[in-house]
Amino acid sequence: MNTRRNTIPPGVEYHRVLAGETRRIGRGILAIVLLVGGMFFFNILFPAVAVLVEGGPSADGGVAYTPLFHATGMAAVAMLLPWSMLIQRVLYGVKGASLHSVVSSFRFDIFGRALLVIIPVWTVVTAILYWAPLPEHTVSNTDVVWFLLGTLLLTPLQGAGEEYGFRGLILRVAGGWARGARSGIVVAIIVSSVLFAIVHLSSDLLLNLNYLFFAIGIAVVTWRTGGIEIAVVLHAGFNTLGFLFDAALHVDVIAAYDRSAGVGSATTLLPAAVVVLTALVVWFRTRRTGPALTPSPLGLHGAGDPAQPGTDAPPARAARPEKTVAGMN
């Protein structure tokens, strides 16, 4: 079913790695269906196991948000990380590690610098979001400890899983539906961002706008930096801090994370605003170099090798040194 095996085209942007001579829209739709379907499957299966382990639903038919239920929910979304890699490998013949970045590895230098800049900002933003009273419930100290452990160990992977799925696989799949790199990134951002908002299953306008612009901003960051590292810091950092505050303040998570119409407030769009601001900073920092590109076959970024068939980068772009487009230098 794949047209090439383990091959990363040289001199192309992150979202064009899966682009070929044909647009392969049918294959792309299959990839998206498998990804989203898998996400819902994991989100049903894992928490269901937690409910069975803990004795089934409560007397009123509801589900208690226990530490085990929380941990299985985080683990379910984290499964998108290997699932995305598997779908890419099976349907496109491209190794899963290429989802990390244009150099097919996770760039810990960019990740580390992003942590130092973004986490303090998220800490302040989270404090603002939790300034107003939230619904609370009684919870034992033991449960608080288990909530904290589950959050610290699994929520970063949960955020990463969503990024590899939506800003990784879906961005690449949709990015190959257009003929060129510029039209491809427009299609990729629209498709990945709209789907990201839809899967959160909210009927509130402000929440949906927050999800949409949050996704657009992270997609721009991923495109310009040529990798998923900063996206993971933005998403996983925000989610992890939020659940840490929930545990510390004994927040009733089910009530606090209600996504029905009318729950949005003046601060609802604050996370999206931070992400969009981050995207603008990254764009400014990469305005001269442009988006990061995949390296040449020999790993010589200055070799000036021409773009290969099915790619759309001119020779001058392909010759740009990879280290100048890290995005957070």
Side-chain angles (χ1 to χ4, degrees):
M1 192 168 189
N2 26 12
T3 58
R4 59 175 179 259
R5 282 286 178 187
N6 223 17
T7 301
I8 307 297
V12 299
E13 299 167 15
Y14 181 84
H15 69 289
R16 296 292 287 179
V17 167
L18 301 184
E21 290 82 1
T22 59
R23 287 179 288 179
R24 296 179 290 185
I25 295 178
R27 185 179 307 190
I29 292 174
L30 175 60
I32 292 173
V33 169
L34 287 173
L35 180 81
V36 176
M39 182 187 70
F40 281 108
F41 174 76
F42 297 137
N43 271 283
I44 292 171
L45 176 64
F46 284 35
V49 171
V51 172
L52 290 175
V53 168
E54 295 183 325
S58 59
D60 60 0
V63 176
Y65 199 85
T66 64
L68 181 59
F69 189 85
H70 172 68
T72 54
M74 298 298 102
V77 183
M79 286 296 296
L80 288 183
L81 201 163
W83 184 234
S84 301
M85 292 184 174
L86 179 62
I87 292 172
Q88 178 178 269
R89 183 62 182 264
V90 171
L91 293 186
Y92 291 90
V94 177
K95 60 183 180 180
S98 73
L99 281 175
H100 295 313
S101 71
V102 289
V103 294
S104 297
S105 63
F106 195 85
R107 299 168 299 182
F108 284 97
D109 55 338
I110 296 176
F111 178 77
R113 288 194 293 272
L115 279 175
L116 292 175
V117 175
I118 293 169
I119 295 304
V121 176
W122 273 146
T123 303
V124 174
V125 169
T126 306
I128 294 172
L129 293 174
Y130 281 78
W131 195 262
L134 291 171
E136 299 180 20
H137 68 149
T138 303
V139 59
S140 68
N141 287 342
T142 301
D143 277 354
V144 170
V145 172
W146 283 114
F147 272 121
L148 291 172
L149 279 174
T151 296
L152 290 171
L153 293 176
L154 295 172
T155 304
L157 296 176
Q158 177 252 2
E162 286 192 73
E163 289 311 307
Y164 277 85
F166 287 86
R167 259 63 64 180
L169 182 64
I170 294 181
L171 191 81
R172 282 186 165 181
V173 165
W177 289 349
R179 295 298 184 187
R182 291 300 171 266
S183 55
I185 191 58
V186 173
V187 174
I189 290 176
I190 292 174
V191 172
S192 62
S193 300
V194 169
L195 285 174
F196 181 78
I198 290 174
V199 299
H200 281 83
L201 303 177
S202 174
S203 56
D204 183 78
L205 175 61
L206 289 177
L207 277 176
N208 281 316
L209 287 175
N210 180 66
Y211 297 138
L212 182 63
F213 285 102
F214 190 97
I216 291 173
I218 295 185
V220 170
V221 170
T222 302
W223 165 48
R224 299 297 292 187
T225 61
I228 214 78
E229 299 88 356
I230 300 177
V232 169
V233 174
L234 284 165
H235 197 156
F238 178 72
N239 286 4
T240 301
L241 283 168
F243 282 119
L244 289 177
F245 271 67
D246 289 336
L249 299 174
H250 294 192
V251 171
D252 183 346
V253 173
I254 293 179
Y257 287 81
D258 179 16
R259 294 172 179 171
S260 59
V263 299
S265 65
T267 59
T268 298
L269 294 175
L270 187 55
V274 172
V275 172
V276 170
L277 179 61
T278 303
L280 291 174
V281 171
V282 169
W283 186 289
F284 178 79
R285 297 291 299 272
T286 59
R287 69 193 186 282
R288 295 181 180 176
T289 60
L293 304 178
T294 56
S296 68
L298 298 179
L300 302 174
H301 306 295
D305 52 305
Q308 301 297 309
T311 69
D312 33 41
R317 292 286 303 283
R320 189 172 66 244
E322 171 64 24
K323 65 183 293 185
T324 65
V325 293
M328 293 294 285
N329 287 341

